[in-house]
């Protein structure tokens, strides 16, 4: 069952009612946004601060299985998540940058600076559509990764972007640590990018993930963009 909690801004944030499943895994307490057809959750092993996943509620394995309504709702949810992450991570030029959720403060907190927009930084938006593309949980999921100027932005001195190498390697194995809890073997990452192994990368605790989900949910609520906000009468999320 969902539970109410008050954010630092005084806006009541509602935890989702479960179960919400990502493939076979119950991720209810890690979910910070729900719409009629989609949900967004924090990542067990984020590649960079703010790396989250947006999924259809129905456990579709491939992107081509989504209906037009599901596809519209999914990417409307992606846009809403981008706007929230921009406020959380893309601080104004008058504020110092931060590179971790534990030390970042939402830019929507009381300040003389206006809230940051997605244009104040950049994002990687990616889908691994099928096992050969590196998908390790057979449930469509969109990776949304904020790139913070002066902190986690792409190195301008390089041609490629290491985040794509990481996504195809063990660091980006979304299902790996989840499968470790229930199976002795698990899907391996891949997808055609050079492998960059990071065996020391540890999965986060449930408490860490729930705290991050609470912070994002509070910020969405303070933006007037909670679970029930901006949903049209036909059940499709409306972008702000």
């Amino acid at each position: 069952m969902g539970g109410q909690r008050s954010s630092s801004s005084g806006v009541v944030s509602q935890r989702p009612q479960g179960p919400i499943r990502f493939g076979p895994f119950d991720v209810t307490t890690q979910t910070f946004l729900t719409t009629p057809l989609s949900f967004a959750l924090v990542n067990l092993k984020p590649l960079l601060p703010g790396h989250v996943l947006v999924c259809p509620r129905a456990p579709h394995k491939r992107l081509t299985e989504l209906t037009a309504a599901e596809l519209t709702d999914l990417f409307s949810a992606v846009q809403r998540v981008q706007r929230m992450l921009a406020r959380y991570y893309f601080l104004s030029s008058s504020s110092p940058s931060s590179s971790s959720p534990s030390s970042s403060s939402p830019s929507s907190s009381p300040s003389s600076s206006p809230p940051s927009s997605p244009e104040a930084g950049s994002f990687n938006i990616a889908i691994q559509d099928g096992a050969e593309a590196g998908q390790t949980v057979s449930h469509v999921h969109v990776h949304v990764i904020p790139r913070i100027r002066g902190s986690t932005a792409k190195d301008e001195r390089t041609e490629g972007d290491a985040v794509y190498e990481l996504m195809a390697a063990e660091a980006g194995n979304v299902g790996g640590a989840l499968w470790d809890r229930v199976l002795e073997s698990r899907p391996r990452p891949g997808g055609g990018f050079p492998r960059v192994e990071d065996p020391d990368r540890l999965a986060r605790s449930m408490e860490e993930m729930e705290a991050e989900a609470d912070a994002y949910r509070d910020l969405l609520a303070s933006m007037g963009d909670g679970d029930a906000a901006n949903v049209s009468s036909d059940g499709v999320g409306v972008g702000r």
Side-chain angles (χ1 to χ4, degrees), residues 113-155:
S113 302
S116 297
S117 69
E119 289 70 30
S122 298
F123 287 89
N124 291 100
I125 308 293
I127 298 176
Q128 293 163 299
D129 191 31
E132 290 81 5
Q135 183 189 58
T136 56
V137 176
S138 295
H139 186 151
V140 170
H141 50 282
V142 182
H143 296 261
V144 182
I145 309 175
R147 306 302 292 272
I148 308 165
R149 290 176 186 166
S151 178
T152 62
K154 173 187 174 296
D155 187 343

